[in-house]
Amino acid sequence: MSTEESWVATKEEETSNAQLALDPSGYDSRTGIYHSLHQLGEDFQIPTRHDLDTAKYVLSQFPHPDHAESKVALVDLATNKQVTYAQLSRSIRALASGLYHALGVRKGDVVFVLSPNSILYPTICLAIFSIGAILSPANPINTESEISKQIRDSGAKLVISAPEEKHKLSKTGVPTLLTTRLSNDDSVSVEELVECCDPIDLPPVRITQSDTAAVLYSSGTTGTSKGVILTHANFIAIMMLLKWSAYASSSQHDTFLCFIPMFHIYGLAFFSLGLFCAGIKTVLMQKFDLQTMLDAVQAHQVNNIPAVPPVILGLVKYASKVKCDLSSLRRVGSGAAPLSKELSDGFREQFPWIELRQGYGLTESCGAATFFVSDEHAKAHPASCGRLVPTFTAKVVDIETGLPLPPCREGELWIKSPTIMKGYLGNEEATAATFDSDGWLKTGDLGYFDEDGFLHIVDRIKELIKHNGYQVAPAELESILLSHSEVLDAAVIPVEDEEAGQIPMAYVVRASNSELTEEQVIQFVARQVAPYKKVRKVSFISAIPKSAAGKILRKQLVSQSQQLVTSKL
């Protein structure tokens, strides 16, 4: 039974009984299942029509033609070029026509996309979807070997690349289409296909919701990177949830700022797909820079910024020291990595007029799972990442016994929803290990729901430090370290110890001119935690390595610590 089929099969049974035994957290003590306390409503039902693809759905949500010619969809921050919804629609259809007729891309062909954020990125993604091809985006900072591996693994038939990344593709042997033409290159580009191809000449391709739409590669921060298979049904479901979220939080008329990488599920779902379904305007940054972001907020009167914890940290630590006007900003979201209570409190203290709302999701769940609809709830539960969004159910499973747990008991989070991936590409073993027999996705995250149904993520189970039989969560220690006035950033990793098994070691980025010592850091943490949680070693570093989504790359720090130990022997 597929993931989607198992979700449908169990959802009917769960829903029929759900309202009879739920406590205020949404927990059903008879089944051990947590249910969403939010309802989509009649205007936001997920389409059941089988012959519907992602692009067709997005285009159907565009503003009425009378408004589409004047309503701005995208603004390029670097050039101030604007793209209206009508122009975006024509570009998508023209590129789809060019990919099909000029380049021979067919249904099921994988198109590998290697590019930083650009106003062409949504056009490229939706054009690929509209002809039934499969999108596989990649991080442009990846090395040549990493890119070659992903191209081989995905079976890509065509690469669409930014000109500055072309040199990484010479050994792949896969045909390459540049986004813009190089001065010394006569080959056709995406821009030229958009300009010269007939947007009416669309290919007659039958695409269904169950067809594969994209293969996204997980960051691999805790293991080997795997190809996550997402279907058109997954994307359509997440777009409906994002549209619901926009209207539920009155964001449909906001101006959003995008610096989240569009190759990541967070950026792809939000900025290449979801926000278009609510008719929202997005100002697009190619890459993140704090001062550029602050300037963009003022220049374009930005109201809403989906962000990641390092950006929140940067605002708290640096924004007060630079000249900026953030009066237009009313909401900042945070996702992709945990946001500590200390950092949340620090942000709200410094920017009391800005709502800060954390969410939780995975590439495997199309970026969704929990979210705050109300700022009142976000303030009351600053350490939480919100409640389950509509269509989601969850379990918290005891790691030792495998039994479901009630509120306020920590265990592994399992989730189920129509947004959940089909599986891992070419990796049946990993897919089987990730799903249980009833289709529940095992997230690998340790957490719990409180009495009001708000999710609290403690840490990744594989990243927990085992000290003398106790479990120590790195994220807890990192939040304490970040509360120190002389600490700009921090990460905690396990270090092998002959007596204790593992001990917590901290990597710390000091503030400029700080003379903070190892002993001072150790004592600062020790005063706030149980003895077994104390940091035992500290190393000062210029920057904490992180993924594009803001996740700490602990593997790099563990490797660095091992090299440090070896060099001392």
Side-chain angles (χ1 to χ4, degrees):
M1 182 181 292
S2 71
T3 305
E4 293 168 28
E5 290 170 338
S6 70
W7 182 86
V8 172
T10 58
K11 192 65 180 175
E12 293 179 358
E13 179 182 350
E14 293 163 8
T15 303
S16 64
N17 298 320
Q19 303 304 319
L20 301 177
L22 299 189
D23 67 16
S25 71
Y27 180 68
D28 187 335
S29 59
R30 297 171 306 170
T31 62
I33 295 172
Y34 293 85
H35 296 261
S36 175
L37 297 171
H38 298 297
Q39 301 298 321
L40 279 176
E42 293 183 4
D43 294 335
F44 299 98
Q45 294 303 306
I46 297 173
T48 57
R49 177 182 160 191
H50 189 57
D51 60 334
L52 184 65
D53 63 77
T54 306
K56 189 180 296 181
Y57 178 76
V58 173
L59 290 168
S60 74
Q61 301 299 301
F62 275 20
H64 188 276
D66 292 344
H67 304 290
E69 291 288 353
S70 59
K71 190 168 182 58
V72 176
L74 292 165
V75 179
D76 187 327
L77 183 63
T79 65
N80 277 325
K81 179 180 179 181
Q82 296 187 349
V83 177
T84 67
Y85 274 88
Q87 290 170 331
L88 180 59
S89 176
R90 287 192 290 269
S91 295
I92 293 165
R93 298 174 192 277
L95 181 57
S97 176
L99 291 175
Y100 187 89
H101 295 294
L103 297 180
V105 179
R106 294 293 182 265
K107 179 180 179 181
D109 287 347
V110 175
V111 180
F112 182 87
V113 177
L114 185 67
S115 172
N117 289 359
S118 81
I119 56 173
L120 283 173
Y121 212 104
T123 295
I124 292 168
C125 296
L126 288 162
I128 291 169
F129 290 148
S130 67
I131 57 174
I134 299 169
L135 169 71
S136 187
N139 189 340
I141 70 169
N142 282 357
T143 65
E144 184 176 339
S145 61
E146 289 171 326
I147 289 167
S148 295
K149 180 181 181 299
Q150 184 174 333
I151 288 175
R152 288 195 306 272
D153 189 73
S154 64
K157 300 293 179 65
L158 175 70
V159 176
I160 297 179
S161 171
E164 63 269 23
E165 306 302 333
K166 183 182 179 182
H167 66 281
K168 299 178 182 178
L169 302 164
S170 58
K171 297 179 182 179
T172 65
V174 179
T176 300
L177 174 68
L178 297 182
T179 53
T180 57
R181 180 190 283 185
L182 290 169
S183 58
N184 59 349
D185 192 332
D186 293 331
S187 59
V188 71
S189 67
V190 168
E191 283 186 332
E192 289 166 310
L193 288 176
V194 167
E195 291 171 2
C196 70
C197 292
D198 187 351
I200 299 176
D201 191 17
L202 290 174
V205 182
R206 185 178 183 274
I207 309 164
T208 68
Q209 289 206 44
S210 59
D211 288 330
T212 298
V215 176
L216 274 68
Y217 282 78
S218 61
S219 60
T221 54
T222 57
T224 304
S225 180
K226 298 181 287 290
V228 175
I229 303 173
L230 298 174
T231 66
H232 289 277
N234 295 151
F235 279 119
I236 290 169
I238 194 64
M239 284 185 288
M240 181 59 73
L241 289 175
L242 286 169
K243 182 179 178 181
W244 165 82
S245 173
Y247 281 86
S249 56
S250 302
S251 300
Q252 68 270 31
H253 302 299
D254 283 359
T255 295
F256 279 67
L257 181 64
C258 172
F259 48 76
I260 299 294
M262 287 178 159
F263 66 81
H264 187 274
I265 187 61
Y266 191 1
L268 177 63
F270 253 92
F271 295 109
S272 286
L273 304 173
L275 295 188
F276 296 137
C277 296
I280 286 169
K281 179 172 79 172
T282 297
V283 178
L284 190 65
M285 292 174 61
Q286 185 173 19
K287 61 181 180 179
F288 178 76
D289 174 79
L290 183 64
Q291 186 61 59
T292 303
M293 181 194 79
L294 298 175
D295 293 341
V297 172
Q298 181 173 339
H300 293 273
Q301 293 295 286
V302 170
N303 315 115
N304 206 316
I305 302 178
V308 291
V311 175
I312 311 297
L313 179 62
L315 283 167
V316 172
K317 297 282 186 178
Y318 297 109
S320 62
K321 302 174 183 178
V322 297
K323 185 179 179 181
C324 60
D325 178 5
L326 301 182
S327 58
S328 67
L329 195 57
R330 69 185 189 93
R331 180 172 299 127
V332 172
S334 183
L339 184 68
S340 70
K341 178 183 182 299
E342 289 77 10
L343 186 52
S344 298
D345 290 343
F347 181 91
R348 290 192 174 92
E349 181 179 352
Q350 193 163 336
F351 308 103
W353 72 93
I354 302 176
E355 299 176 4
L356 177 63
R357 301 188 187 180
Q358 187 176 183
Y360 167 83
L362 309 164
T363 302
E364 289 86 345
S365 68
C366 241
T370 66
F371 183 65
F372 278 109
V373 174
S374 161
D375 188 54
E376 180 183 351
H377 285 157
K379 289 179 178 178
H381 301 267
S384 166
C385 44
R387 284 173 167 164
L388 289 170
V389 295
T391 77
F392 271 81
T393 50
K395 287 183 180 182
V396 177
V397 177
D398 188 293
I399 298 173
E400 301 296 332
T401 66
L403 296 175
L405 298 172
C408 301
R409 296 279 301 279
E410 290 183 5
E412 183 179 13
L413 178 68
W414 293 11
I415 55 177
K416 190 180 287 190
S417 164
T419 71
I420 300 295
M421 70 168 182
K422 188 175 183 179
Y424 293 114
L425 181 67
N427 197 333
E428 293 182 5
E429 182 179 352
T431 301
T434 301
F435 290 102
D436 85 333
S437 58
D438 292 323
W440 289 95
L441 175 73
K442 305 173 187 178
T443 67
D445 286 318
L446 183 71
Y448 65 93
F449 288 93
D450 62 25
E451 299 97 329
D452 299 314
F454 292 94
L455 177 66
H456 298 251
I457 294 296
V458 176
D459 218 324
R460 292 288 298 172
I461 291 174
K462 290 182 179 179
E463 291 179 351
L464 292 176
I465 299 168
K466 309 295 177 62
H467 180 79
N468 283 331
Y470 292 100
Q471 293 184 337
V472 181
E476 178 185 359
L477 300 181
E478 288 158 3
S479 68
I480 292 172
L481 289 165
L482 288 172
S483 69
H484 195 292
S485 60
E486 295 182 46
V487 173
L488 294 183
D489 207 353
V492 176
I493 63 166
V495 173
E496 300 303 317
D497 183 80
E498 188 173 337
E499 294 183 3
Q502 293 178 329
I503 59 173
M505 175 182 177
Y507 278 89
V508 171
V509 180
R510 283 182 289 209
S512 59
N513 301 320
S514 170
E515 296 182 358
L516 194 65
T517 66
E518 179 179 21
E519 184 59 26
Q520 287 173 328
V521 172
I522 290 173
Q523 291 304 318
F524 178 77
V525 175
R527 289 193 294 269
Q528 303 181 63
V529 298
Y532 71 89
K533 295 182 181 179
K534 292 193 302 184
V535 169
R536 311 290 168 141
K537 291 184 178 181
V538 177
S539 180
F540 296 101
I541 193 171
S542 60
I544 302 297
K546 294 180 181 178
S547 71
K551 293 181 181 178
I552 295 171
L553 299 176
R554 298 188 201 278
K555 289 193 297 182
Q556 290 187 19
L557 293 174
V558 169
S559 176
Q560 187 170 325
S561 70
Q562 291 170 344
Q563 292 173 6
L564 185 64
V565 171
T566 302
S567 67
K568 291 181 178 180
L569 295 178

